[in-house]
Amino acid sequence: MSVDTLTIPTQCVPQSRISELDFNNIEFGKIFADHMLVADYKDGAWQNPEIKPYGNMSLSPATSALHYGQAIFEGMKAYKNADGDILLFRPLDNFKRLNISGDRMCIPELPEEIFMQGLEQLLRLDAAWVPPTAGCALYIRPFIFATDEFIGVRPSSSYRFMVFSCPVGAYYGQPLRVAIEPNYVRSAEGGAGYAKAAGNYGAALYPARKMQERGYHQLIWTDSREHKYIEESGTMNVMFVIDDRIVTPAVSTTILSGITRDSVLQIARDKGIPVEERKVAVSEIVEAHKAGKLQEAFGTGTAATIAQIATIHYNGEDMDLPAIEGREISNGIAAELDRIKTGQAPDPHSWIYKISL
Ligand code: COI
C-alpha cells in the first residue's frame, strides 16, 4: 500500500453538523467533526480502513483495553492558511511517536499509508471544521486500543485504530499556578513514561486533583527516586528561562518527547537563544527565583501550545514569576510558531504538510 494507491472507502454524513459550532466560542474537546477514520488489526495485519460518520460504536464488555489499558494516543493540530489550504503540523512526527508508544505497549506497527492517507482524506472531508480563527485549530486525535474479547492478561491479537477531530480554542484560559509534586510520580525509569499510553494520563488524575484542591491548576512532576529533579508539568513538557537561557529537562525514558517541545527548542536555536537540555534540579529553580534570575516558565504541548506559568509552588511557598506581557523569549517563540503553523512565516524545517483543497 502506498499513499498514491490506497483510497479509503468513505461513507459521508447525509448532513453536516457544523451549524452546531460557534466559531467565535470554541470550547476544547466538546464538539466533534462529522467523520472519523477506523481501521482494524486482525489475523496479523492492519486492514479495512474506512471513513464514516463520527458516532458511537459497540464494544464487548470484555474488550481488553477497557481492563488492562493497552491503549495509546496522539494529539496533533491542523490550521488554515490565507488561501484556505489545510496545514497539518508535523504529522509524520506524530505518526512515528504513535508507533514508538505502540512498541512499548505491544501494539503492532501501524503502516504510514493508513495514517497519512487516512488523515488526508478525513481532513479533506471535514475541511470546513478547521477554524480559520486566530488562536484556534482543528485538534486531531489518532488512537489505538486493544479489542480482544478476553480477560486474561496478555497482548491482544486484535486492535482498532481511529482518528477523529474537534475544533479547539485555548486549552488553558489563563496563566497557570502550578505546584512541584513532592510525593506522587508520573513515571519511573523502566516504566512507560515516554509513551503516550492512556494509563499514564489516568494515573496522573488523582495527584493532579489533590493539587487542584489546594488551589493550583496543575503540578510539576519530579523524578521517582528523589523528587529532586523536574520532569514535566501536567500533560506538558516544561521550560524555564534563567539568565536569558532556556533550560528544560532532557527527554528520557520517563519524559514524553514532545513535538511542541522540539519545535520550541528549534525556533529558540534558530533565533540564537541558548538552550540547555539537561537535568533540572528543583533547587536550581528555587535559587534562580531567589536571585531574581527566573524570568519565565511555561509548558509546551500540542493542546496548549505554550502555556504560561504565573506561579510555582514549592515547599509551602508560592514563587510568583515576572508578568506574562514582558516574557520576550516565550512570547516571541509562541508568535513565530503560530506564524509557521498558519503559513504566515517560512517553514525552514519542513514541518508543514499542506493539503490543498
Ligand atoms: C496534547 O497536548 O495533545 C496532550 O496530549 C494533552 C492532552 C491529553 C489534551
Side-chain angles (χ1 to χ4, degrees):
M1 265 182 296
S2 80
V3 174
D4 299 335
T5 54
L6 177 73
T7 301
I8 297 176
T10 299
Q11 181 199 339
C12 296
V13 289
Q15 173 144 29
S16 174
R17 285 179 287 100
I18 198 152
S19 59
E20 290 171 17
L21 182 69
D22 173 1
F23 275 104
N24 296 312
N25 186 16
I26 305 180
E27 269 190 83
F28 191 97
K30 289 207 169 149
I31 296 193
F32 304 103
D34 287 326
H35 298 92
M36 62 185 189
L37 170 75
V38 186
D40 284 317
Y41 181 91
K42 54 186 173 201
D43 304 326
W46 283 103
Q47 47 192 280
N48 301 334
E50 55 172 338
I51 290 174
K52 53 188 186 181
Y54 175 88
N56 296 348
M57 58 192 161
S58 137
L59 291 175
S60 153
T63 300
S64 57
L66 300 178
H67 300 267
Y68 309 122
Q70 204 193 354
I72 55 173
F73 70 97
E74 274 300 320
M76 51 199 288
K77 278 183 174 167
Y79 301 80
K80 272 206 176 129
N81 68 9
D83 297 330
D85 303 315
I86 297 173
L87 306 183
L88 261 169
F89 188 67
R90 306 190 67 172
L92 279 166
D93 292 295
N94 289 95
F95 166 71
K96 286 180 195 147
R97 193 173 62 185
L98 184 72
N99 276 331
I100 290 171
S101 302
D103 185 50
R104 178 64 178 80
M105 298 300 290
C106 294
I107 292 175
E109 189 171 336
L110 183 80
E112 183 178 324
E113 51 277 19
I114 293 185
F115 188 90
M116 290 308 295
Q117 179 66 12
L119 270 181
E120 190 154 347
Q121 279 184 231
L122 191 63
L123 290 176
R124 281 183 191 285
L125 211 53
D126 286 337
W129 291 82
V130 184
T133 335
C136 296
L138 189 73
Y139 184 84
I140 302 163
R141 171 53 57 87
F143 63 111
I144 303 179
F145 61 99
T147 54
D148 273 6
E149 293 177 31
F150 178 61
I151 57 162
V153 182
R154 56 139 167 79
S156 182
S157 59
S158 62
Y159 297 86
R160 177 157 290 179
F161 167 60
M162 301 186 72
V163 184
F164 65 81
S165 69
C166 50
V168 295
Y171 189 73
Y172 290 113
Q174 74 231 88
L176 304 178
R177 289 167 51 76
V178 300
I180 295 177
E181 174 57 59
N183 298 308
Y184 295 105
V185 292
R186 175 188 168 276
S187 88
E189 278 157 38
Y194 67 91
K196 221 162 161 62
N200 288 339
Y201 293 75
L205 295 174
Y206 179 77
R209 188 172 66 185
K210 285 193 99 67
M211 277 305 180
Q212 282 151 10
E213 284 164 3
R214 293 172 54 193
Y216 299 93
H217 297 106
Q218 261 306 345
L219 41 77
I220 291 189
W221 298 106
T222 48
D223 70 282
S224 63
R225 283 176 199 256
E226 303 174 282
H227 297 291
K228 272 191 183 166
Y229 296 96
I230 291 191
E231 298 253 307
E232 299 190 23
S233 180
T235 61
M236 301 179 291
N237 295 113
V238 65
M239 302 193 182
F240 304 91
V241 177
I242 301 172
D243 263 343
D244 295 322
R245 294 166 291 125
I246 295 185
V247 177
T248 191
V251 288
S252 68
T253 55
T254 62
I255 294 181
L256 187 87
S257 179
I259 293 165
T260 306
R261 173 189 183 279
D262 182 71
S263 309
V264 164
L265 297 182
Q266 185 59 59
I267 292 174
R269 291 189 175 105
D270 293 349
K271 285 174 174 283
I273 300 166
V275 168
E276 294 177 17
E277 295 180 73
R278 57 169 169 78
K279 272 180 175 284
V280 181
V282 173
S283 58
E284 178 182 352
I285 299 304
V286 173
E287 291 310 316
H289 180 256
K290 269 197 202 138
K293 293 179 174 176
L294 181 58
Q295 298 153 281
E296 308 183 18
F298 52 97
T300 65
T302 297
T305 309
I306 288 185
Q308 292 291 353
I309 293 175
T311 302
I312 303 175
H313 177 91
Y314 182 62
N315 208 11
E317 273 183 43
D318 276 356
M319 298 183 276
D320 292 320
L321 272 60
I324 310 296
E325 305 75 62
R327 298 187 180 183
E328 285 177 17
I329 291 187
S330 50
N331 286 336
I333 294 173
E336 179 64 8
L337 186 55
D338 197 57
R339 283 192 292 269
I340 296 172
K341 287 172 162 183
T342 52
Q344 299 171 70
D347 172 25
H349 303 288
S350 303
W351 286 338
I352 300 298
Y353 184 92
K354 181 157 111 180
I355 303 178
S356 306
L357 299 173

